[in-house]
Amino acid sequence: MAKTFSITTAIDYTNAAPHIGHAYEKILADVLARYHRLKGEPVFFLTGVDQHGQKVQQSAQKQGIEPAEFAQAVTTKFVALWEKLGLSHDAWAATTDPLHKGVVQKILQQLFDAGEIYKAAHSGFYSVRQEQFLTDKERGPDGEFGPEWGEVNEITEENYYFRLAKHRDWLLGYINSHPDYVTPSFRQAELRNAVERLSGDLCISRPKARLEWGIELPFDAGYVTYVWFDALINYISFAGYWNGSEPRNAEFESRWPALHVIGKDIIIPAHGVYWPIMLHAAGFTDAEIPPLLVHGYINIAGAKMSKSLGNIVDPAVLAEKYSPGALRYYLMRETATGQDMEFAEERLVSRYNTDLANDLGNLLNRTLNMAQRYREGVLKRPVADTPWLTEGRAIVEQYVAKMDQFLVHAALEAAMGLAAKCNAYIEAQAPWKLAKDPAHAGQLDEVLYHLAESLRLLSILIAPVLPDAACGMAAQLNIAPDAPLSAALDPAAALADGHILGKPTPLFPRIEAEAKP
Ligand code: MSP
């Protein structure tokens, strides 16, 4: 049996509503999951929400409600958005789930018993207002902690620490011997530098006196777990790591390790330092360390999105206004995986109109119209493979090569290159002229077949990004929906002689510019 393609996303904080950056990450993972299903592989796609932590507790307090209620209200927004955007996840990670809490506690206990977790006292400057210890980084130019920190006291607090430093050399060795651990590779270089500088252990507890909204330590009821220690474990708890009395089972083994899709802000230290060391300390082998796919940021006007700047772009509003497909296509086509991208609503509109309404939509429309008008929709297949058909399959191979490297934007570029080629071919061949001369009947049949067959390939290639439109295209071409990728590579799967095409209906209606007030 083929190994499962497992893919996870970061789980989103439930301290605030979803934004376009969250949507980008989830769509990227969804497209990769759908692409692997298209390849015929079993897929396990996990996403979810990170519901614990101080920020959630504080946001709830501000509203005068319980953290559970607050987290649930925000979770509902994420769930509704993912449904609207067509996410095809197989499992949902919510960290308040009792199953997850149980796994976190079992792992804590295991690490505690193995001596990987110890208790120690820490003295330092504590901001009562921000509820956190401050370091010298937080001091202003005058050496003092600024007014934003409120009352700052020097206190001593006992906490539990996870032995990170002890595993530093192992992690460095792992990174050096696994050049494909992190994609893109410049992020792996950054990680290696950070690990070289690593010193000290990780505080993994918070006294309940200052944080209650978390998972209780199984060996000390006076504390809850630090939110990252809790959140990272979602990747294994929701993949079935500890469902019964013992960890691991065949299902988990088939799903692990998963590819982790995360943003650039959470590789150092959480995913690139804490997580591999947590797994290593818990007995995972080097072959079981999950690879990281690190994407860039979606920015607005050069600024990182933030509520205070008032530049939150609501993905639910965009999907409602333009269609989920338009948003999915724009984010995937305009973001080079690993790089930042500048969000601009007018680019979303122009991408949709140029690529989907004009290039692809018109191509489908013109082809079906001409086939109906000149041949009542009936195709004649050339007796032998033509160079045109071979070139079409070469474009599919380019698409595959790019998708296999997670370069969705480049794969789409290759696919849309085929649409552009078809449109140029129509202009050059002028089927309306060929139709006037019976001596060109054979050539007209060949042109129509080439176009229809290219559209069949395109209907398969767009499926991971535009699943609904792919079905719509298949219906108009009168072929079965959900064809596998192999049907775009195998000459035997080409449209049959005598195949009858359907009637055209607009698939990508143009987005008209908003009337200026
Ligand atoms: N809860 C943690 C992740 C825990 S994973 C075990 C967290 N949550 S988050 O809501 O702040 O971010 C969730 C994901 O969205 C992260 O991968 C983050 O990088 C990504 N993004 C947040 N803002 C983003 C943009 N503006 N652009 C692209 N992705 C961004 O971190």
Side-chain angles (χ1 to χ4, degrees), residues 9-17 19-26 48-52 55 78 95 227-228 230-235 261-267 270-271 275 294-300 303-305 340-341:
T9 71
I11 50 172
D12 298 306
Y13 272 134
T14 51
N15 64 315
H19 59 67
I20 192 88
H22 296 133
Y24 166 71
E25 175 177 284
K26 276 50 192 182
V49 279
D50 187 354
Q51 297 169 306
H52 290 126
K55 288 187 200 156
F78 277 100
T95 54
V227 67
W228 271 106
D230 157 359
L232 287 162
I233 290 174
N234 94 85
Y235 298 130
V261 180
I262 57 166
K264 64 180 183 179
D265 56 324
I266 57 172
I267 172 174
H271 283 81
W275 185 225
V294 184
H295 62 77
Y297 254 61
I298 307 297
N299 293 323
I300 297 179
K304 242 175 92 167
M305 259 175 294
D340 288 359
M341 189 267 246

Side-chain angles (χ1 to χ4, degrees), residues 218-480:
F219 41 82
D220 191 336
Y223 294 83
V224 298
T225 318
Y226 171 44
V227 67
W228 271 106
F229 199 91
D230 157 359
L232 287 162
I233 290 174
N234 94 85
Y235 298 130
I236 57 172
S237 59
F238 292 99
Y241 178 61
W242 213 321
N243 285 346
S245 53
E246 292 297 319
R248 296 176 181 267
N249 55 44
E251 188 176 58
F252 175 75
E253 304 284 339
S254 77
R255 290 174 177 167
W256 196 258
L259 172 70
H260 292 337
V261 180
I262 57 166
K264 64 180 183 179
D265 56 324
I266 57 172
I267 172 174
I268 301 169
H271 283 81
V273 181
Y274 302 163
W275 185 225
I277 292 183
M278 284 164 69
L279 290 169
H280 175 68
F284 282 67
T285 64
D286 284 9
E288 293 175 329
I289 299 301
L292 306 176
L293 173 59
V294 184
H295 62 77
Y297 254 61
I298 307 297
N299 293 323
I300 297 179
K304 242 175 92 167
M305 259 175 294
S306 79
K307 245 188 186 166
S308 52
L309 289 170
N311 58 3
I312 301 281
V313 173
D314 187 340
V317 171
L318 291 170
E320 187 62 42
K321 191 168 167 192
Y322 299 115
S323 83
L327 180 59
R328 287 173 67 102
Y329 183 77
Y330 163 67
L331 289 173
M332 291 300 105
R333 179 65 189 83
E334 296 245 325
T335 315
T337 314
Q339 307 293 316
D340 288 359
M341 189 267 246
E342 202 61 51
F343 177 87
E345 199 167 329
E346 62 273 17
R347 292 289 305 157
L348 186 160
V349 173
S350 65
R351 258 301 170 198
Y352 174 92
N353 279 340
T354 310
D355 291 13
L356 300 180
N358 289 358
D359 287 359
L360 184 57
N362 279 347
L363 173 65
L364 178 68
N365 232 268
R366 290 168 93 186
T367 302
L368 295 187
N369 265 321
M370 291 189 293
Q372 292 299 340
R373 186 171 321 139
Y374 307 136
R375 293 291 184 264
E376 289 175 338
V378 183
L379 291 178
K380 214 164 173 166
R381 183 174 179 173
V383 276
D385 227 4
T386 62
W388 176 273
L389 296 172
T390 325
E391 282 166 29
R393 288 194 294 272
I395 290 179
V396 177
E397 277 163 17
Q398 285 169 24
Y399 167 99
V400 168
K402 297 299 179 190
M403 282 299 244
D404 285 343
Q405 297 171 74
F406 317 125
L407 302 174
V408 179
H409 64 291
L412 285 176
E413 193 181 359
M416 288 304 159
L418 176 58
K421 198 176 146 214
C422 289
N423 283 317
Y425 183 63
I426 295 180
E427 294 312 314
Q429 294 288 331
W432 46 92
K433 286 188 191 152
L434 298 177
K436 287 190 183 136
D437 184 353
H440 288 127
Q443 194 182 342
L444 178 60
D445 278 328
E446 187 174 280
V447 170
L448 292 174
Y449 185 87
H450 285 165
L451 294 172
E453 175 59 10
S454 299
L455 281 161
R456 186 185 71 85
L457 301 183
L458 282 163
S459 75
I460 297 173
L461 301 190
I462 64 165
V465 178
L466 298 165
D468 294 342
C471 276
M473 273 183 85
Q476 294 190 36
L477 294 169
N478 192 24
I479 55 176

Side-chain angles (χ1 to χ4, degrees), residues 18-19 22-23 76-87 314-317 319 327:
H19 59 67
H22 296 133
T76 304
K77 290 191 183 154
F78 277 100
V79 171
L81 177 64
W82 300 154
E83 200 184 323
K84 186 174 204 116
L85 295 184
L87 288 206
D314 187 340
V317 171
L327 180 59

